[in-house]
């Protein structure tokens, strides 16, 4: 393997340097937790690209002043107008009555940022004022005047607050979106905190929705909704910094019979995520306060990602998150499980140190697994082989080594030599990526165990922390001893990559985790 830097370009990781300079999401920084700020930034950066071009209406006339484009047939002109932003499409109506008819007959794509002055269209108003009110009024006018349908709508520039006037605008907007067939909707609010600011129940009137992104809102109270409310066509749901209760999530899953992708990022309420869906293929929970993730009945689920989800501490002790895996026969990708924070339960068995392997304690469908742990905490390292035994057919394994401020010391140096065989390591493991190697002996002992037992291993990539070792020569000698060891696969498969991350940076991508067509959800970057 060639020596190169990791993560690969454009993989995306959260750091101060990676924040776009033009992202001014208008939230009061004194009320934001750094995690909320990071989540909202990533949410804005990952917003789907609208299917329109930012050409201007003036471009419809040639330089000599003669209108040549109007001589084209209607079917071609309809394609032209359909690719214009709503603001420019509406301006074509001033050319003639024919253009007015054309504009009203094409599906309308609304991106409220396009209503900003040309120089400010890439950003968003930094505060509520004349500019943001003008954008809101323009969106309202477009919704009212155009007969629809609205295939694609992005609303990120308004500042809604818990006031009667704002609630009335919200209710009217969703009524119009529902009656005019909105299919893809991105709606990210601006102020913070969210107290009292709920989305209207009219959201559930949008039966035509296929894709829905919501950010910085309190979810509607589903307990008060009339019977029969549903999202019959919804395939993708992204919730960012949303106040949502357990019953609301249960309601959404039950009311969305074709939902395939569920992403929850930075929710603001402690959540018990109970996944029961015949259609769900991907569940992605990140940077959230989660007490439990229970895969109850998901016969189509292929990918379950749980990253940086924690409860916190109580009386100085870490609170654990329970991860329960029930009926998920197609689950092939799972991570990041954390032996120090997660209590793993398979079927009705809680996985503990010493739990015997049986068909009731394994998930044979998993082929790609990611684990995150502190190698200087004995209890976590002891649980590592227990977790690995639960997934006997893993072919790709990602281990994220974390720095700890509360070390408990290393295990006996012979711990791994005394460890009974692990089926996935011996018979199936082909790729191991060990990220953020700290240089600890306990890490080396684990890697040596892999080298000496993984008969099918093709690649072992160790991500080194460039310039962050107090004893770099000692770390180098440890790696040399690993490379010269007795490899079960016949020869050393080790390669070293240099990490570009700094302490505190997090590798994560909303798109990579939630897009099933992307085969590298853990951003291994080896291809």
């Amino acid at each position: 393997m060639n020596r190169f830097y990791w993560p690969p370009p454009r993989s995306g990781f959260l750091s101060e340097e990676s924040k776009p300079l033009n992202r001014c999401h208008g939230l009061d920084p004194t009320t934001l937790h750094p995690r909320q700020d990071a989540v909202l930034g990533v949410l804005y950066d990952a917003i789907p690209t609208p299917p329109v071009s930012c050409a201007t209406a003036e471009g419809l006339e040639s330089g000599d002043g003669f209108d040549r484009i109007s001589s084209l047939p209607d079917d071609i002109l309809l394609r032209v107008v359909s690719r214009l932003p709503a603001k420019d499409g509406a301006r074509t109506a001033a050319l003639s009555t024919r253009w007015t008819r054309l504009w009203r007959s094409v599906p309308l794509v609304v991106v409220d940022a396009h209503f900003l002055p040309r120089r400010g269209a890439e950003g968003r108003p930094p505060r509520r004022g004349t500019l943001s009110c003008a954008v809101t009024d323009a969106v309202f006018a477009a919704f009212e005047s155009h007969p629809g349908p609205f295939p694609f709508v992005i609303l990120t520039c308004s500042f809604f607050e818990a006031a009667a006037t704002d609630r009335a605008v919200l209710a009217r907007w969703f009524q119009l979106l529902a009656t005019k067939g909105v299919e893809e909707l991105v709606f990210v609010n601006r102020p913070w905190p969210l107290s009292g600011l709920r989305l209207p129940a009219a959201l559930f009137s949008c039966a035509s929705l296929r894709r829905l992104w919501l950010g910085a809102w309190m979810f509607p109270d589903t307990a008060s909704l009339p019977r029969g409310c549903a999202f019959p066509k919804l395939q993708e749901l992204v919730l960012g910094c949303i106040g949502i209760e357990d019953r609301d999530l249960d309601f959404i899953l039950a009311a969305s019979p074709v939902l395939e992708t569920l992403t929850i990022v930075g929710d603001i309420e402690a959540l018990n995520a109970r996944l029961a869906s015949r259609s769900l293929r991907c569940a992605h929970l990140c940077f959230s306060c989660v007490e439990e993730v229970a895969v109850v009945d998901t016969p189509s689920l292929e990918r379950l990602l749980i990253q940086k989800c924690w409860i916190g501490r109580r009386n100085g002790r870490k609170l654990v998150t329970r991860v329960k895996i029930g009926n998920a026969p197609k689950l092939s990708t799972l991570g990041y499980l954390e032996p120090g924070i997660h209590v793993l339960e398979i079927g009705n068995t809680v996985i503990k140190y010493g739990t015997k392997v049986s068909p009731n304690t394994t998930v044979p469908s998993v082929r790609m697994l990611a684990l995150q742990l502190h190698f200087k905490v004995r209890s976590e390292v002891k649980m590592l082989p227990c977790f690995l035994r639960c997934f006997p057919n893993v072919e790709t394994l990602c281990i994220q080594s974390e720095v700890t401020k509360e070390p408990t010391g290393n295990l006996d140096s012979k711990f791994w030599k005394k460890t009974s065989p692990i089926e996935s390591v011996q018979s199936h493991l082909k790729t191991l990526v060990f990220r953020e190697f700290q240089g600890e002996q306990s890490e080396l002992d684990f890697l040596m165990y892999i080298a000496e037992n993984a008969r099918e291993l093709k690649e072992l990539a160790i991500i080194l922390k460039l310039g962050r070792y107090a004893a770099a020569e000692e770390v180098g000698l440890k790696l040399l001893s690993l490379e010269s060891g007795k490899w079960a696969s016949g020869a050393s498969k080790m390669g070293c990559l240099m990490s570009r991350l700094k302490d505190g940076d997090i590798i994560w991508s909303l798109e990579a985790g939630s897009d099933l067509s992307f085969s590298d959800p853990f951003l291994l970057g080896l291809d």
Side-chain angles (χ1 to χ4, degrees), residues 120-151:
E122 293 182 357
R124 298 172 182 85
R127 62 189 61 86
R128 185 165 188 163
T130 303
L131 183 58
S132 66
C133 290
V135 171
T136 301
D137 290 344
V139 171
F140 209 147
F143 285 174
E144 291 274 11
S145 61
H146 196 283
F150 297 162

Side-chain angles (χ1 to χ4, degrees), residues 441-489:
Q441 184 61 43
S442 56
E443 297 173 309
L444 186 68
D445 292 342
F446 168 71
L447 291 171
M448 190 67 77
Y449 173 81
I450 295 295
E452 293 177 349
N453 289 274
R455 296 190 294 262
E456 301 299 320
L457 192 67
K458 306 297 182 186
E459 196 168 27
L460 193 161
I462 301 176
I463 314 296
L464 301 176
K465 305 192 300 181
L466 181 63
R468 288 185 283 158
Y469 295 107
E473 291 184 3
E474 183 179 338
V475 171
L477 289 174
K478 288 181 178 180
L479 293 175
L480 284 175
S481 68
L482 173 62
E483 189 168 24
S484 60
K486 186 177 180 181
W487 289 65
S489 57

Side-chain angles (χ1 to χ4, degrees), residues 8-165:
R10 295 187 294 176
S11 62
F13 59 88
L14 302 185
S15 67
E16 288 299 320
E17 290 79 3
S18 67
K19 291 180 181 179
L21 295 177
N22 65 353
R23 177 170 65 80
C24 47
H25 49 58
L27 306 180
D28 183 354
T30 63
T31 64
L32 280 176
H33 187 280
R35 183 175 65 179
Q36 295 163 345
D37 181 61
V39 166
L40 285 169
V42 170
L43 192 67
Y44 284 125
D45 299 338
I47 284 174
T49 303
V52 293
S53 170
C54 285
T56 62
E58 286 87 346
L60 293 173
E61 295 183 1
S62 61
D64 58 9
F66 183 73
D67 180 7
R68 303 178 188 278
I69 197 170
S70 293
S71 61
L72 296 172
D74 281 2
D75 60 338
I76 295 179
L77 294 182
L78 285 171
R79 295 182 185 181
V80 171
V81 177
S82 69
R83 285 164 173 76
L84 293 175
K87 179 180 179 179
D88 295 327
R91 293 171 66 191
T92 64
L95 298 176
S96 68
T97 55
R98 180 191 181 203
W99 283 99
T100 301
R101 175 177 55 81
L102 290 171
W103 177 72
R104 289 177 57 82
S105 61
V106 298
L108 186 66
V109 173
V110 179
V111 181
D112 60 356
H114 291 166
F115 291 102
L116 294 168
R118 286 296 173 191
R119 291 183 180 179
E122 293 182 357
R124 298 172 182 85
R127 62 189 61 86
R128 185 165 188 163
T130 303
L131 183 58
S132 66
C133 290
V135 171
T136 301
D137 290 344
V139 171
F140 209 147
F143 285 174
E144 291 274 11
S145 61
H146 196 283
F150 297 162
F152 195 99
V153 177
I154 297 180
L155 305 172
T156 62
C157 295
S158 294
F159 289 74
F160 287 101
E161 298 176 345
T165 53

Side-chain angles (χ1 to χ4, degrees), residues 102-419:
L102 290 171
W103 177 72
R104 289 177 57 82
S105 61
V106 298
L108 186 66
V109 173
V110 179
V111 181
D112 60 356
H114 291 166
F115 291 102
L116 294 168
R118 286 296 173 191
R119 291 183 180 179
E122 293 182 357
R124 298 172 182 85
R127 62 189 61 86
R128 185 165 188 163
T130 303
L131 183 58
S132 66
C133 290
V135 171
T136 301
D137 290 344
V139 171
F140 209 147
F143 285 174
E144 291 274 11
S145 61
H146 196 283
F150 297 162
F152 195 99
V153 177
I154 297 180
L155 305 172
T156 62
C157 295
S158 294
F159 289 74
F160 287 101
E161 298 176 345
T165 53
D166 283 357
R167 287 195 178 99
V169 171
L170 280 173
R172 181 57 179 158
W173 275 14
F174 277 101
Q175 289 171 358
L176 292 169
L177 289 169
T179 57
K180 298 182 181 182
V182 62
E183 295 181 11
E184 298 187 50
L185 173 63
V186 177
F187 199 6
V188 183
N189 195 34
R190 319 290 290 140
W192 199 275
L194 302 178
S195 179
L197 187 60
R198 285 192 179 275
L199 284 167
L203 167 66
F204 285 91
S205 301
C206 300
S208 54
L209 276 171
R210 294 187 295 104
R211 194 178 195 187
L212 176 61
W213 288 46
L214 298 173
W217 292 103
M218 294 298 291
F219 204 77
D221 181 7
T222 57
S224 61
L225 291 175
R227 300 185 69 176
C229 287
F231 289 133
K233 299 181 180 180
L234 189 65
Q235 295 175 310
E236 179 183 1
L237 176 63
V238 177
L239 304 175
C241 286
I242 292 289
I244 184 170
E245 298 183 16
D246 300 346
R247 66 186 182 190
D248 301 325
L249 182 57
D250 293 343
F251 183 94
I252 293 170
L253 292 174
S256 307
V258 297
L259 184 68
E260 294 188 351
T261 301
L262 170 67
T263 302
I264 300 177
V265 190
D267 64 298
I268 62 173
E269 303 283 349
L271 184 66
N272 289 282
R274 182 179 179 274
L275 305 180
S277 168
R278 307 293 296 178
S279 60
L280 192 65
R281 298 177 60 199
C282 174
H284 190 184
L285 293 85
C286 325
F287 304 97
S288 297
C289 185
V290 179
E291 294 182 354
E292 179 178 274
V293 180
V295 180
V296 180
D297 184 19
T298 54
S300 301
L301 188 67
E302 301 170 29
R303 181 180 295 180
L304 175 61
L305 302 187
I306 309 167
Q307 187 165 12
K308 294 295 181 182
C309 292
W310 58 81
I311 296 297
R313 291 178 176 269
R314 181 179 297 161
N315 298 326
R317 298 181 60 186
K318 287 183 180 178
L319 298 177
V320 299
T321 294
R322 187 174 295 268
V323 179
K324 303 172 64 174
I325 301 177
N327 181 32
K330 294 184 179 180
L331 182 62
S332 60
T333 303
L334 175 63
Y336 289 80
L337 294 180
E338 301 186 45
I341 295 177
H342 295 159
V343 172
L344 179 61
E345 182 175 335
I346 297 177
N348 296 317
T349 303
V350 176
I351 305 304
K352 299 178 181 179
Y353 182 70
T355 299
K356 294 183 178 181
V357 178
S358 74
N360 295 327
T361 63
T362 60
V363 186
S365 59
V366 172
R367 296 293 190 274
M368 179 178 284
L369 176 68
L371 302 173
Q372 189 168 316
L373 70 152
H374 305 87
F375 276 84
K376 293 196 73 173
V377 177
R378 284 193 300 266
S379 60
E380 295 188 25
V381 180
K382 286 178 66 175
M383 286 301 299
L384 179 53
C386 304
F387 274 44
L388 291 176
R389 288 192 181 95
C390 294
F391 308 99
N393 295 315
V394 166
E395 298 176 355
T396 301
L397 176 63
C398 175
I399 299 288
Q400 177 80 24
S401 181
E402 295 287 321
V403 177
T404 180
K405 297 179 180 179
E406 302 174 352
T408 61
N410 295 330
L411 291 170
D412 185 296
S413 59
K414 297 182 179 180
F415 171 77
W416 286 102
K417 292 184 181 298
K418 297 177 182 178
T419 298

